[in-house]
Amino acid sequence: MINYTEKNYRPCVGIVLIKNGLIFAGQRLDYKSDAWQMPQGGIEQNETPIKAAVRELKEETGIKKKHIRVILETKNWINYDLPKDLIPKLWNGKFVGQKQKWFAMEFLGSDGDIDINTKNPEFLSWRWMAKNKLLECIVPFKKRVYENILLQFSSKLNLK
């Protein structure tokens, strides 16, 4: 049994993928609402955060390393807690949330280089969104994280 007073956070990365000032967002395949999110995923053992970010981006969107340029990275890890009812359902109840390192990346490819029909699809659909629209569409428990990330990155990026 996990002691939830000791907060265990899953190490994770997230990607703010940018094209012409808009941000890539995917609609979750496994979430029964109109919830959208940026690509993200866990860091594997002995994997650096940047390698995890490039791998996760490819796994979720089909985007290859040659189609991105890393621009920024968050200074610190950003934690968020899952709603209590989700804790036992995700990651075998091992984690109460995630600690994330985020990367801003410029998309250098064309929309044809994006393929969300990957080996293990996570998104039902995708689109380029303005940051305020993305903040309106995110699941509520991740909103603070997204606001924090976009605030950190906005001063150095030309986001719409």
Side-chain angles (χ1 to χ4, degrees):
M1 182 88 176
I2 292 173
N3 178 0
Y4 291 116
T5 58
E6 288 180 22
K7 293 206 171 191
N8 260 344
Y9 291 98
R10 177 179 179 245
C12 179
V13 293
I15 300 102
V16 181
L17 186 66
I18 303 156
K19 176 184 173 183
N20 299 324
L22 297 174
I23 302 167
F24 177 95
Q27 184 180 19
R28 294 274 327 167
L29 189 61
D30 60 355
Y31 197 77
K32 307 285 189 260
S33 78
D34 191 31
W36 293 73
Q37 72 175 45
M38 293 182 277
Q40 66 175 58
I43 300 172
E44 295 176 359
Q45 192 169 353
N46 299 321
E47 187 177 43
T48 64
I50 187 60
K51 284 188 177 181
V54 171
R55 177 187 50 75
E56 283 292 337
L57 188 63
K58 179 151 183 8
E59 287 178 4
E60 294 184 8
T61 68
I63 296 172
K64 296 177 181 151
K65 187 176 181 178
K66 69 180 181 179
H67 293 126
I68 57 169
R69 180 176 67 90
V70 178
I71 305 167
L72 295 168
E73 155 180 359
T74 52
K75 293 176 192 164
N76 301 311
W77 292 85
I78 300 169
N79 294 355
Y80 76 84
D81 292 341
L82 291 166
K84 291 202 184 323
D85 64 314
L86 286 182
I87 293 171
K89 297 176 185 175
L90 297 173
W91 312 299
N92 298 317
K94 186 176 175 183
F95 303 104
V96 298
Q98 296 193 87
K99 67 176 185 178
Q100 301 178 312
K101 181 66 87 163
W102 282 84
F103 297 88
M105 298 180 182
E106 180 183 13
F107 181 56
L108 305 172
S110 69
D111 286 359
D113 296 316
I114 299 171
D115 181 9
I116 60 170
N117 296 314
T118 60
K119 182 179 176 185
N120 297 302
E122 294 196 26
F123 298 129
L124 180 63
S125 62
W126 69 273
R127 68 173 89 146
W128 297 105
M129 288 186 180
K131 67 179 178 181
N132 290 340
K133 179 65 176 167
L134 179 61
L135 290 172
E136 289 173 15
C137 297
I138 188 66
V139 291
F141 66 89
K142 290 184 183 179
K143 189 169 184 171
R144 182 193 57 80
V145 172
Y146 274 43
E147 288 170 339
N148 185 337
I149 296 157
L150 295 175
L151 182 64
Q152 280 189 50
F153 289 167
S154 287
S155 64
K156 296 185 176 64
L157 302 174
N158 187 20
L159 297 176
K160 293 183 180 176

